[in-house]
């Protein structure tokens, strides 16, 4: 595993960290955490990142909390497209890429949340410590 090989596979290694998630992980909640991180880390210099990361977080947050709308999944994809390649530093792309990737590979989990207003993963299987604290 190195930077060039991962780039050839269509992704990027970033800081080199790898997160392993099993079937007890809700992918909507996992993406909610990631998007909250990027929203918090945005310095606000450029509009697509400043506004876009907030949009991404808020839309994912409402899906996770059972208030998702049918159009939200495509909206996430669209907001991500409008961030990528339009920011000063790499944080914008880093915020958008996981959103596109999660939707591409786990769209059915997002759709389940929207349709059923709750998570696909049974509560007893969900991991501890998954709460996000918004200051
Ligand atoms: S892309 Fe970089 S420079 Fe632009 S607002 Fe985000 S963190 Fe700041």
């Amino acid at each position: 595993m190195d930077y060039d090989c991962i780039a050839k596979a269509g992704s990027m290694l970033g800081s080199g960290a790898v997160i392993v998630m099993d079937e007890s992980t809700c992918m909507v909640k996992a993406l909610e955490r990631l998007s909250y991180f990027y929203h918090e880390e945005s310095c606000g210099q450029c509009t697509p990142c400043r506004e876009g990361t907030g949009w991404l977080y808020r839309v994912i947050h409402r899906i996770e909390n059972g208030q998702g709308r049918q159009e939200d999944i495509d909206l996430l994809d669209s907001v991500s497209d409008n961030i990528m390649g339009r920011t000063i530093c790499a944080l914008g792309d880093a915020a958008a890429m996981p959103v596109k990737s999660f939707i591409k590979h786990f769209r059915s989990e997002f759709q389940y949340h929207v349709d059923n207003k709750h998570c696909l993963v049974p509560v007893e299987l969900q991991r501890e410590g998954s709460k996000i604290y918004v200051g």
Side-chain angles (χ1 to χ4, degrees):
M1 186 174 78
D2 58 48
Y3 285 92
D4 292 339
C5 291
I6 297 292
K8 271 187 206 154
S11 187
M12 63 182 187
L13 206 45
S15 62
V18 175
I19 304 171
V20 179
M21 302 181 206
D22 66 12
E23 67 281 359
S24 67
T25 302
C26 169
M27 299 312 281
V28 180
K29 185 172 275 299
L31 186 59
E32 183 190 25
R33 282 195 202 158
L34 274 175
S35 65
Y36 181 69
F37 168 80
Y38 286 114
H39 175 46
E40 280 289 298
E41 291 300 314
S42 173
C43 77
Q45 238 189 115
C46 37
T47 305
C49 176
R50 183 185 63 244
E51 301 301 322
T53 55
W55 276 41
L56 291 175
Y57 170 67
R58 286 190 295 275
V59 173
I60 297 163
H61 181 72
R62 75 175 177 234
I63 295 174
E64 167 60 15
N65 286 281
Q67 296 163 331
R69 303 165 191 163
Q70 287 299 331
E71 64 271 22
D72 278 351
I73 301 172
D74 289 335
L75 178 61
L76 288 172
D77 213 33
S78 166
V79 172
S80 300
D81 284 340
N82 281 296
I83 296 173
M84 287 182 72
R86 294 187 165 95
T87 57
I88 297 170
C89 82
L91 190 134
D93 283 2
M97 284 176 73
V99 175
K100 292 189 70 67
S101 178
F102 271 56
I103 290 172
K104 180 179 173 188
H105 295 290
F106 303 101
R107 190 180 182 104
S108 61
E109 284 200 40
F110 287 79
Q111 192 63 55
Y112 187 95
H113 269 259
V114 171
D115 292 341
N116 298 281
K117 314 288 183 205
H118 63 84
C119 186
L120 181 68
V121 181
V123 175
E124 60 273 16
L125 284 184
Q126 291 180 29
R127 296 203 175 276
E128 294 286 324
S130 55
K131 200 167 180 72
I132 293 174
Y133 296 96
V134 181

